[in-house]
Amino acid sequence: MADNFNFELVSPERLLLSEQVIDVVIPATEGEMTVMAHHAPTMTTIKPGVVKVHSASGKKQDYVVFGGFADILPTGCTLLAESAVPVEDMSRDELDRRINAAKTELEDAEHHEHKSRLEHFIMELSHLRGSIVQD
């Protein structure tokens, strides 16, 4: 049986989750990562995606995050999200609003690097919309 560890999901608005978990799958910028107890110390950035939490109680919870970073230690993981909501609270309208805001910002962007980051962000949000929002 796998060991448990403490996981915290924090957004600027509030602490969304703080509990003992078996594992957590996070959307790291370099690819999805599964974090378990005794993980090597790591700090990684987070891209828009779904955080999948498997609680020690057996409950599974999914959260949509819109960037941030994760601090992983052998004893726990803290994910500081730019914004996060339970997946069941995410609507197509909210994702469309975020995509349109990014497109508007892209129109006004002057630097190539900024434009490139915004184009990538829009692509990630569009993929996220297709994978979590059911019509």
Side-chain angles (χ1 to χ4, degrees):
M1 185 164 153
D3 291 340
N4 300 331
F5 66 100
N6 191 57
F7 174 69
E8 291 190 338
L9 176 58
V10 183
S11 75
E13 299 85 30
R14 64 188 170 126
L15 173 66
L16 283 103
L17 184 67
S18 179
E19 65 183 63
Q20 291 291 305
V21 300
I22 297 169
D23 61 63
V24 178
V25 178
I26 59 175
T29 0
E30 299 298 319
E32 278 193 349
M33 288 179 67
T34 299
V35 179
M36 299 178 77
H38 314 293
H39 195 287
T42 306
M43 185 168 281
T44 185
T45 53
I46 302 298
K47 66 181 180 181
V50 177
V51 174
K52 299 172 185 173
V53 182
H54 184 190
S55 299
S57 66
K59 186 169 112 177
K60 294 186 178 183
Q61 304 165 75
D62 293 344
Y63 295 87
V64 178
V65 294
F66 295 95
F69 69 93
D71 185 18
I72 303 165
L73 297 170
T75 56
C77 174
T78 301
L79 195 154
L80 302 172
E82 291 175 13
S83 177
V85 295
V87 75
E88 62 270 10
D89 294 345
M90 182 52 53
S91 69
R92 176 174 290 282
D93 289 343
E94 174 61 17
L95 281 170
D96 286 343
R97 185 190 66 72
R98 288 176 185 257
I99 291 168
N100 289 333
K103 285 179 178 178
T104 299
E105 187 177 344
L106 178 61
E107 290 172 5
D108 298 333
E110 294 180 14
H111 296 19
H112 176 70
E113 285 182 23
H114 189 127
K115 286 181 181 183
S116 181
R117 280 194 305 273
L118 284 169
E119 288 168 346
H120 192 73
F121 184 69
I122 292 166
M123 179 194 67
E124 289 171 336
L125 289 180
S126 297
H127 176 73
L128 183 60
R129 180 180 58 193
S131 66
I132 66 164
V133 178
Q134 308 300 317
D135 287 328

